[in-house]
Structure formats: structure tokens, C-alpha cells
């Protein structure tokens, strides 16, 4: 049984290839800066978009034609697992990621829901064993079911809080069972609409309590995954508490959670926050919390999370430029395609094309970023731009020797202040040259 039209595993054919079912840039065995592309990128398929999503939008129902939709209930859940392992094999992708509710239907009670989950997790485990595929991360969906209307760990309703805790407890157990390398907390409805009815202090304290309980329970059961928080500024709530990397960092610091968490940075969440993807990666990297990425892109003409497959080479290059400079690169994290095909790309084969395009965009970004680093293109520009801090008064500032008094005495000498051009257009032209020529 094939869900993707018996497509043979995709091979690297090089940038001249016109075969739509071939990689043009992603060559898993190509060595770049001492590691293979496969090791650098650690691609993952997102279960919710590739197998559970239907292509619906607020104005219309699903358009996706998927052979597994002839099933229902647990048969559908199993068919999706089959489709998942078929796609991983076709794409030569090693990892996948899922929410609990992506993989199995909810029952009438929590017991029934958990039973369904246990059964599918066992089936996934069998498939992982026979295929060698791995789980990059799992997470709990605490935003779709109406019970989470006011949030989960930041709800006003303690009964919902308890339910959410039970859900995450189970998800941690499943993460351990499947050897997940990370566990993600994306605050689906952890935010608020208006302060008129919100106790923000209590909600944030409760969120911290929840995360501490998760850390404690993972330790108790010996689940040693890296915990990740995925910032997002808005959607579904107007004010999401984990707005961006900097906001999340200050929350983690305040509540003594920093030692236990890193961040999962998503491109489209960054742009919704008014940042670039590379800005969020840089903030994370400088604070030692760059854990993993959700690879996608938004649309500058649309103000919501469009979750498009990443094809913008400028963005993938600057993202890989950050990842290459991160200690240990992407580490235990990976490049998860939290991306969906457009509603108009409704055939199953479009999911294959979309991943090929995304993988090639990141592979190309990796090649260009590595070459930029190797040639110290931006490093030399930046060294030169900050040269004033290498000697004289600048060196005094950096070494901590300077004070307001010594700086005032320096300024009072009234030496002429000479600024240099930032050469922005020239630099962008050079980056373009690298994008085209490498
Ligand atoms: C939502 C989003 C989620 C997380 C996992 O915008 O990105 O799918 O990645 O819950
Ligand atoms: Co995401």
C-alpha cells in the first residue's frame, strides 16, 4: 500500500537536474565544515501538517486528497503512521515530530484517550524499530479541544490545569518510550485577550509551576530529552506569554527554569513578532539556548502564521549562519518542517515536492553560510566596523577600565568625531554574489 504513489526514495542529482523528484542541493553525504549535511540539518517532518492537516481555512473545508482518509478512528490513525514512515523513507529524512492529538483520536474519557494513544505509540515504536527513524520531539496539543478555551497551564480553571498536567505527564511517558530527543512546549492558548478579566501574575506563576512539575516528572521517570519552549507573539491569543526569545528568556530566568530549557525558534513566529528569523536565532545563540528550529516562512503581505515551506534562500542562509556559529551547531535539535502545502496544492505528491524544496533551500543556505564563514566575509566587515573598541579609549571601555569620569575627560578633549559608512548596500551585494556563485 502506498500513499504517495510509489515514489522511489529521492536522490541527490545536483543543481542542473530538472527532475522534480530529485534533490538539487541536499546531498546528505556532502561534508561541510567537518560534518555531513545530514548531521548539520537533522531534518524532521511535522506530523500535524503532513498527515493530520486537511487544507481547511476559516473560509472553506479541507481540499487535501489523501488516500488514508478512506479510514476512520483508530484505522485512520494507523494509516497515518504508515503514511508517515513511507514519507520519511521517500525523503530520506531521519526524524519526525508530533502532538499527542495528531497521532490518535480522543475518546470519551481521559482513560480512553490514553488507551488510544498507547496503542498508536506502540505501533509507531514498531515502525521506528524496523525503519531506524527517530523522534525529534513530541508535544501535547492543549489548544484544539474546547476545554482549553481559557488556556491550559495559564487557565483560570484549576480543573483544566489538572487535565493539562495529566496530558503532559502522559506525553512525557510517551516521549521516553519512543526515545524522543527533545520535548516541546508551545503555549497554544497560554496568553490572554484582555487584562479586564485576567490575573496575569497568577497565570505566569502557574505556568512556571507547571513547567517545574514537568521538569521534575521527566527526571523522576528518567526521560532525558532536551526541553524546548517555542516562542510565538500572538495567535491564537492576542498576547501570547512566550512572545519572543527575549521575553521567554526573562520568564525562564525569573522562575529559575533556565537550566532546564532551550528554545525552539520558528521562522514565521519570529516575523509575526516583528523580528527576522536570524534575530531570534541570534538572541537564542548569544544566551546559550538555541535548541532547535521550526523551519517555515510567512508572507509579508499577510499578518498571520501562514506556515509556508521555506524557500527563501536569503533567510535560510542567514539562519544557517547562526546555527553554524552555535556551539555544537543544532545539537540535539533539528530542522523541523512546521510547514504546510498551500490549500491549492492538494495532491499527496505536493507534500513530497514541498519537502524537497524546503530541504534544498536549507542545504543551499548551509553551503552559502559555510562559505561566508570560511571567507570571514561578515566577520571582517564587523571587525572593521568595531575597530574603535580594539585600542585606545575603546579598549579601556571593553576591558572595564573606563568610568564616566575618564570618558568625560576624553570627550572634553574635543577631538573630531569621525563616523564611517555602514556600507549596507555593498554588503548585501556581496551576500548576493555568494548566493549565486558558491
Ligand atoms: C503553532 C506551532 C505549533 C508548534 C507545536 O504555531 O508552531 O505547531 O510547533 O505545538
Ligand atoms: Co512550530
Amino acid at each position: 500500500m502506498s500513499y504517495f504513489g510509489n515514489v522511489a526514495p529521492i536522490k541527490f542529482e545536483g543543481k542542473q537536474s530538472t527532475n522534480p523528484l530529485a534533490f538539487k542541493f541536499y546531498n546528505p553525504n556532502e561534508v561541510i565544515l567537518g560534518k555531513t549535511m545530514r548531521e548539520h540539518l537533522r531534518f524532521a517532518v511535522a506530523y500535524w501538517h503532513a498527515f493530520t492537516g486537511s487544507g481547511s481555512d476559516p473560509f472553506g473545508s479541507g481540499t487535501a486528497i489523501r488516500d488514508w482518509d478512506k479510514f476512520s478512528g483508530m484505522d485512520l490513525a494507523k494509516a497515518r503512521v504508515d503514511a508517515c514512515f513511507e514519507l520519511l523513507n521517500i525523503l530520506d529524512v531521519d526524524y519526525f515530530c508530533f502532538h499527542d492529538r495528531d497521532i490518535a483520536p480522543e475518546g470519551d474519557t481521559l482513560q480512553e484517550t490514553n488507551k488510544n494513544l498507547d496503542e498508536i505509540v506502540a505501533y509507531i515504536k514498531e515502525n521506528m524499530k524496523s525503519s531506524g527513524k527517530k523522534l525529534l520531539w513530541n508535544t501535547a496539543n492543549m489548544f484544539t479541544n474546547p476545554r482549553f478555551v481559557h488556556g491550559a497551564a495559564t487557565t483560570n480553571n484549576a480543573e483544566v490545569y489538572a487535565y493539562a498536567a495529566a496530558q503532559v505527564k502522559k506525553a512525557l511517558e510517551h516521549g521516553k518510550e519512543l526515545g524522543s530527543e527533545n520535548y516541546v512546549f508551545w503555549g497554544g492558548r497560554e496568553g490572554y485577550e484582555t487584562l479586564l478579566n485576567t490575573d496575569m501574575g497568577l497565570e505566569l506563576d502557574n505556568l512556571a509551576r507547571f513547567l517545574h512539575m514537568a521538569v521534575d516528572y521527566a527526571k523522576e521517570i528518567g526521560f532525558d530529552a532536551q526541553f524546548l519552549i517555542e516562542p510565538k507573539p500572538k495567535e491564537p491569543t492576542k498576547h501570547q506569554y512566550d512572545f519572543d526569545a527575549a521575553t521567554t528568556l526573562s520568564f525562564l530566568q525569573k522562575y529559575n527554569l533556565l537550566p532546564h530549557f532551550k528554545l525552539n525558534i520558528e521562522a514565521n513566529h519570529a516575523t509575526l513578532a516583528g523580528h527576522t528569523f536570524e534575530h531570534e536565532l541570534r538572541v537564542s545563540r548569544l544566551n546559550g539556548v538555541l535548541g532547535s528550529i521550526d523551519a517555515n516562512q510567512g508572507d509579508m503581505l499577510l499578518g498571520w502564521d501562514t506556515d509556508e515551506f521555506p524557500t527563501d534562500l536569503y533567510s535560510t542562509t542567514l539562519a544557517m549562519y547562526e546555527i553554524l556559529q552555535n556551539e555544537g551547531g543544532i545539537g540535539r535539535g533539528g530542522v523541523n518542517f512546521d510547514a504546510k502545502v498551500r490549500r491549492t496544492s492538494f495532491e499527496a505528491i505536493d507534500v513530497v515536492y514541498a519537502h524537497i524544496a524546503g530541504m534544498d533551500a536549507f542545504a543551499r543556505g548551509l553551503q552559502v553560510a559555510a562559505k561566508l564563514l570560511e571567507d570571514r566575509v561578515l566577520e571582517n566587515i564587523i571587525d572593521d566596523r568595531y575597530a574603535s573598541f580594539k585600542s585606545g579609549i575603546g579598549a579601556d571601555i571593553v576591558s572595564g577600565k573606563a568610568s564616566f569620569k575618564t570618558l568625560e575627560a576624553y570627550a572634553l578633549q574635543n577631538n573630531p568625531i569621525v563616523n564611517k559608512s555602514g556600507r549596507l548596500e555593498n554588503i548585501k551585494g556581496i551576500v548576493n554574489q555568494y548566493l549565486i556563485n558558491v
Side-chain angles (χ1 to χ4, degrees):
M1 175 69 208
S2 164
Y3 290 111
F4 293 96
N6 288 310
V7 171
I10 309 299
K11 297 269 179 293
F12 170 71
E13 287 187 6
K15 65 180 174 186
Q16 306 304 339
S17 170
T18 53
N19 176 2
L21 290 170
F23 294 121
K24 320 300 181 298
F25 296 101
Y26 180 60
N27 177 2
N29 301 321
E30 182 177 328
V31 175
I32 293 184
L33 302 177
K35 278 202 299 198
T36 63
M37 278 197 177
R38 185 189 293 279
E39 290 164 338
H40 275 291
L41 294 165
R42 294 165 57 88
F43 286 126
V45 168
Y47 209 95
W48 53 102
H49 287 310
F51 313 110
T52 318
S54 64
S56 64
D57 72 12
F59 303 93
S61 43
T63 55
I65 302 167
R66 303 288 184 262
D67 280 350
W68 53 81
D69 281 337
K70 64 184 173 223
F71 299 109
S72 64
M74 291 295 280
D75 290 338
L76 172 59
K78 284 193 182 138
R80 283 179 170 142
V81 175
D82 294 340
C84 173
F85 284 88
E86 183 187 347
L87 184 67
L88 293 173
N89 184 49
I90 289 171
L91 295 172
D92 191 12
V93 161
D94 298 324
Y95 292 94
F96 63 110
C97 301
F98 64 78
H99 302 81
D100 47 5
R101 302 301 177 244
D102 302 333
I103 61 167
E106 291 196 58
D108 290 336
T109 61
L110 184 56
Q111 283 84 344
E112 245 180 70
T113 299
N114 284 345
K115 190 169 156 278
N116 290 349
L117 262 177
D118 288 342
E119 198 177 322
I120 299 300
V121 164
Y123 190 51
I124 287 178
K125 193 172 177 182
E126 265 173 45
N127 275 274
M128 286 171 71
K129 212 168 164 195
S130 57
S131 64
K133 303 296 181 189
K134 292 170 275 189
L135 185 57
L136 185 67
W137 51 261
N138 66 317
T139 185
N141 173 334
M142 301 188 292
F143 43 91
T144 301
N145 192 293
R147 76 173 62 87
F148 298 115
V149 60
H150 296 300
T154 61
T155 172
N156 57 307
N157 184 348
E159 284 166 20
V160 176
Y161 190 97
Y163 193 101
Q167 201 175 319
V168 171
K169 177 175 177 288
K170 191 74 186 167
L172 295 173
E173 290 161 10
H174 283 150
K176 177 176 156 70
E177 176 75 12
L178 298 177
S180 188
E181 301 193 19
N182 304 271
Y183 183 89
V184 164
F185 292 86
W186 168 61
R189 291 186 190 274
E190 314 295 22
Y192 69 94
E193 305 301 322
T194 169
L195 286 177
L196 294 176
N197 66 0
T198 301
D199 185 342
M200 187 198 269
L202 177 66
E203 291 199 359
L204 287 168
D205 288 351
N206 279 348
L207 176 59
R209 290 185 184 103
F210 193 96
L211 295 176
H212 272 293
M213 285 189 250
V215 168
D216 291 346
Y217 189 65
K219 202 168 167 201
E220 191 180 323
I221 63 173
F223 178 35
D224 67 352
Q226 172 65 57
F227 275 12
L228 300 169
I229 292 194
E230 183 178 323
K232 185 175 184 180
K234 55 189 168 196
E235 205 194 11
T237 72
K238 184 156 56 174
H239 304 270
Q240 295 280 126
Y241 285 130
D242 300 325
F243 188 95
D244 60 1
T247 312
T248 307
L249 270 164
S250 89
F251 168 85
L252 291 171
Q253 254 156 1
K254 174 176 173 186
Y255 291 103
N256 297 321
L257 285 160
L258 201 49
H260 309 290
F261 285 84
K262 287 189 174 179
L263 303 184
N264 181 37
I265 298 298
E266 176 163 329
N268 205 165
H269 295 181
T271 51
L272 281 178
H275 300 307
T276 58
F277 189 22
E278 57 272 19
H279 166 92
E280 288 291 85
L281 294 169
R282 177 72 61 95
V283 170
S284 307
R285 173 164 81 77
L286 291 181
N287 287 284
V289 293
L290 172 47
S292 196
I293 69 173
D294 268 10
N296 60 17
Q297 67 188 32
D299 185 316
M300 70 169 167
L301 302 181
L302 303 174
W304 64 91
D305 197 12
T306 58
D307 282 349
E308 294 173 29
F309 271 84
T311 50
D312 177 346
L313 297 182
Y314 217 95
S315 172
T316 57
T317 297
L318 296 185
M320 290 313 299
Y321 178 77
E322 295 303 321
I323 288 165
L324 285 175
Q325 291 177 92
N326 194 42
E327 210 189 314
I330 201 67
R332 297 177 81 169
V335 176
N336 170 47
F337 289 106
D338 190 353
K340 57 187 171 199
V341 286
R342 299 303 85 192
R343 190 165 182 268
T344 45
S345 303
F346 44 75
E347 294 178 16
I349 193 71
D350 288 309
V351 176
V352 178
Y353 292 144
H355 282 89
I356 292 173
M359 291 165 75
D360 271 340
F362 266 87
R364 182 65 182 156
L366 168 60
Q367 288 173 330
V368 178
K371 188 73 181 138
L372 281 168
L373 277 167
E374 218 170 63
D375 293 355
R376 293 188 48 83
V377 176
L378 303 177
E379 284 62 34
N380 287 341
I381 290 169
I382 290 168
D383 275 355
D384 185 49
R385 186 155 182 258
Y386 293 87
S388 70
F389 285 96
K390 295 260 161 58
S391 60
I393 194 72
D396 286 353
I397 293 170
V398 171
S399 68
K401 249 200 244 163
S403 70
F404 266 18
K405 279 187 196 157
T406 64
L407 292 173
E408 183 197 42
Y410 184 85
L412 287 171
Q413 292 171 25
N414 288 317
N415 294 322
I417 288 179
V418 184
N419 271 312
K420 284 196 205 161
S421 165
R423 299 268 186 265
L424 202 47
E425 297 75 10
N426 175 232
I427 297 167
K428 286 187 174 178
I430 295 169
V431 173
N432 277 351
Q433 247 181 317
Y434 272 75
L435 273 163
I436 293 161
N437 291 336
V438 166

